[in-house]
Amino acid sequence: QAPQTHPRPTLALLARAFAPLHESFSTHDPQHCEAATLHTLAYGRAMRHGLLQAEEPNAARPLCETTLRAPAPIAAALAGVSCDWPGASSPALWPVAAVPALDTALADWSRDLATMPRSGLVIRSAAPHEARGLAADLVRRLATEPAWFANTDALPPGAEAWLVLTGRVPVFEIEGAPGAVTTLPLLAIYDGPALVVTGLDGGVRRDGPMADWRVPLPDAATRAALWRAALTDDALATEAAQPYRAGYA
């Protein structure tokens, strides 16, 4: 791709390399096919969804000299390497206590999310670490890993394609407020489940079915069992379970 010195491939180089694969390829008019391939690469679905990204766009430079790159997480996913999206939050997760009623609820939610396309679930808890722990447990039941996003304005370019390639479940962390409604990013190609962890207030809107689960308060017997596991002292656990709530995580 002389005289370019950039190590990344230009659109011209890629168009010449992939022109024989284009549906309009003809040995009688290879230049026309190269031009069609170049525009397909420049304005096609791979660029639109972030699988390919233009390197330092420059309006003064001819389109054919534009260099392309694949985001590192996309390249890793295509190579079968697991990695988080750069800059995405990785919260500390507390293990969820083994409570029969809670286990049944998580099993029901995981079954519903796995069978309904583009489904979603808002997990509400007054304790943020509890909501995060339940979301992580739910994602494990779906036999995949969570992808944590704190910004709900829009996903980073290429992140949605990365979700499709890796099979991860997006988990959005929202600080809800009374009367506030948060709209989740539009997901055009990812049709799997999405989770939201938030407090007890505020609404959530999404382009798909969205269920709402307010984590139930543990009853007296469950509170005693949770305190007993935390304190390893039966008498103290029984006393603490009367006035104080113990969380599931």
Side-chain angles (χ1 to χ4, degrees):
Q1 52 186 21
Q4 298 291 326
T5 58
H6 202 286
R8 301 189 186 280
T10 62
L11 273 171
L13 177 65
L14 293 174
R16 176 155 297 185
F18 295 125
L21 302 178
H22 197 273
E23 58 185 8
S24 65
F25 178 73
S26 171
T27 55
H28 300 293
D29 193 0
Q31 289 185 341
H32 173 77
C33 184
E34 285 185 21
T37 304
L38 186 146
H39 283 82
T40 298
L41 288 169
Y43 305 112
R45 297 176 64 185
M47 288 285 285
R48 191 162 57 248
H49 297 300
L51 282 164
L52 294 176
Q53 296 178 6
E55 186 80 5
E56 299 179 3
N58 187 344
R61 178 183 299 171
L63 179 63
C64 61
E65 293 182 7
T66 301
T67 57
L68 301 184
R69 69 182 183 90
I74 297 289
L78 291 172
V81 178
S82 177
C83 71
D84 293 326
W85 190 267
S89 60
S90 298
L93 300 176
W94 296 14
V96 177
V99 177
L102 197 63
D103 185 75
T104 300
L106 288 169
D108 291 341
W109 284 122
S110 64
R111 183 183 63 251
D112 293 344
L113 292 171
T115 55
M116 184 180 297
R118 306 188 68 82
S119 56
L121 176 65
V122 180
I123 302 176
R124 297 185 181 274
S125 174
H129 69 276
E130 182 176 75
R132 287 193 293 264
L134 291 170
D137 190 296
L138 187 52
V139 172
R140 280 194 295 270
R141 292 168 184 260
L142 295 171
T144 184
E145 297 180 71
W148 303 91
F149 295 101
N151 183 9
T152 58
D153 294 334
L155 290 180
E160 186 181 359
W162 174 74
L163 291 174
V164 175
L165 290 171
T166 60
R168 292 201 182 195
V169 172
V171 184
F172 299 95
E173 296 190 74
I174 295 175
E175 294 184 8
V181 178
T182 301
T183 301
L184 297 185
L186 177 66
L187 300 177
I189 56 176
Y190 173 80
D191 62 357
L195 301 181
V196 173
V197 294
T198 187
L200 304 180
D201 297 313
V204 179
R205 186 186 296 118
R206 187 200 177 203
D207 61 325
M210 202 79 186
D212 202 290
W213 180 36
R214 185 178 292 246
V215 180
L217 294 175
D219 56 26
T222 302
R223 286 201 308 271
L226 292 172
W227 277 114
R228 195 175 300 114
L231 301 175
T232 65
D233 186 308
D234 290 350
L236 188 58
T238 302
E239 182 180 350
Q242 299 303 317
Y244 302 116
R245 181 204 168 186
Y248 298 111

